[in-house]
């Protein structure tokens, strides 16, 4: 069945070769950041205490980085927001990426992954929901300790709650009270694990 659309719809489908070329319909978003700048992600600053002029920036060695330190720590709130991720045909979508965090006392107070289904270009005028961090076997959160530049994987973070919807992923970095670490992100993937 065909239907006429009033506008052009931009759709991207990755392909992979396993003996033959096939469409990889299980990848919804792939952004390594390394060697690719910030890709189609956008940066939005909500709070930059003077003299800050930015928080998020791209580094070819480390990926996307956020820090509110400039000779000392400043108050900030800055977002890195993904392009739309369409999960209309998803069954069990997962988000996974590598991250490092250093020079901060509490990772979860400064770094949050947020999901929105009604983002329209302004992070302050839509609804966001925090995505739960994965847990280790001992029940502790699978997040960087905040004392090392060593990258670690998040493991699969479930997006199954958003099946059938289009979402935006927001990486919210916020600092206050004279503490600001550095958050680094790379090798981001939203995908459907093989069954």
């Amino acid at each position: 069945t065909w239907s006429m659309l009033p506008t052009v719809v931009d759709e991207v489908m990755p392909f992979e070769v396993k003996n033959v070329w096939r469409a990889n319909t299980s990848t919804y978003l792939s952004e390594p950041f390394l060697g690719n700048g910030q890709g189609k992600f956008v940066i939005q600053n909500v709070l930059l205490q003077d003299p800050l002029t930015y928080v998020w920036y791209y580094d070819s060695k480390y990926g996307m980085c956020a820090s509110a330190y400039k000779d000392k720590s400043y108050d900030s709130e800055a977002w890195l927001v993904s392009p739309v991720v369409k999960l209309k045909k998803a069954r069990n979508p997962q988000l996974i990426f590598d991250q490092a965090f250093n020079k901060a006392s509490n990772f979860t107070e400064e770094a949050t992954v947020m999901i929105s289904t009604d983002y329209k270009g302004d992070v302050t005028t839509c609804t966001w929901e925090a995505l739960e961090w994965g847990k280790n076997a001992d029940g502790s959160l699978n997040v960087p300790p905040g004392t090392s530049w060593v990258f670690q994987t998040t493991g699969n973070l479930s997006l199954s709650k958003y099946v059938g919807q289009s979402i935006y992923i927001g990486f919210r970095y916020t600092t206050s009270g004279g503490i600001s670490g550095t958050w680094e992100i790379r090798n981001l993937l939203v995908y459907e694990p093989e069954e």
Side-chain angles (χ1 to χ4, degrees):
T1 303
W2 294 90
S3 60
M4 184 69 73
L5 295 176
T7 60
V8 174
V9 178
D10 182 21
E11 293 282 354
V12 176
M13 180 175 291
F15 287 80
E16 61 185 17
V17 62
K18 290 181 180 177
N19 298 326
V20 297
W21 283 99
R22 291 185 180 161
N24 182 356
T25 56
S26 64
T27 300
Y28 305 108
L29 176 64
S30 177
E31 183 51 72
F33 292 123
L34 297 177
N36 195 36
Q38 67 188 56
K40 293 185 177 180
F41 282 65
V42 296
I43 296 169
Q44 290 191 24
N45 298 313
V46 176
L47 169 65
L48 294 179
Q49 184 181 7
D50 188 52
L52 292 178
T53 56
Y54 65 88
V55 167
W56 281 103
Y57 61 94
Y58 168 72
D59 185 285
S60 61
K61 187 175 179 181
Y62 303 111
M64 289 304 296
C65 308
S67 177
Y69 186 86
K70 187 175 182 180
D71 298 323
K72 69 175 190 175
S73 297
Y74 293 92
D75 294 350
S76 69
E77 181 183 346
W79 293 67
L80 179 69
V81 183
S82 76
V84 65
V85 182
K86 298 178 181 179
L87 302 178
K88 294 177 182 175
K89 297 181 181 178
R91 297 180 308 280
N92 182 30
Q94 306 289 314
L95 167 65
I96 189 170
F97 58 94
D98 296 331
Q99 62 183 342
F101 201 80
N102 201 5
K103 308 293 185 184
S105 58
N106 193 328
F107 172 85
T108 57
E109 288 182 6
E110 294 184 41
T112 315
V113 179
M114 310 289 278
I115 305 296
S116 177
T117 58
D118 61 354
Y119 171 76
K120 302 288 187 207
D122 183 346
V123 295
T124 65
T125 60
C126 59
T127 304
W128 292 97
E129 182 176 19
L131 192 61
E132 289 186 21
W133 293 108
K135 293 188 177 179
N136 299 310
D138 64 1
S140 62
L141 294 180
N142 179 26
V143 297
T147 57
S148 168
W149 295 115
V150 176
F151 277 86
Q152 71 179 61
T153 181
T154 59
N156 285 337
L157 304 175
S158 177
L159 298 173
S160 59
K161 178 178 181 178
Y162 305 101
V163 166
Q165 303 178 71
S166 291
I167 66 168
Y168 293 85
I169 303 168
F171 294 87
R172 180 179 180 258
Y173 174 91
T174 182
T175 56
S176 63
I179 299 174
S180 61
T182 300
W183 190 15
E184 300 173 344
I185 297 171
R186 65 188 186 193
N187 300 326
L188 182 146
L189 184 66
V190 179
Y191 76 113
E192 195 86 38
E194 292 185 9
E195 296 177 353

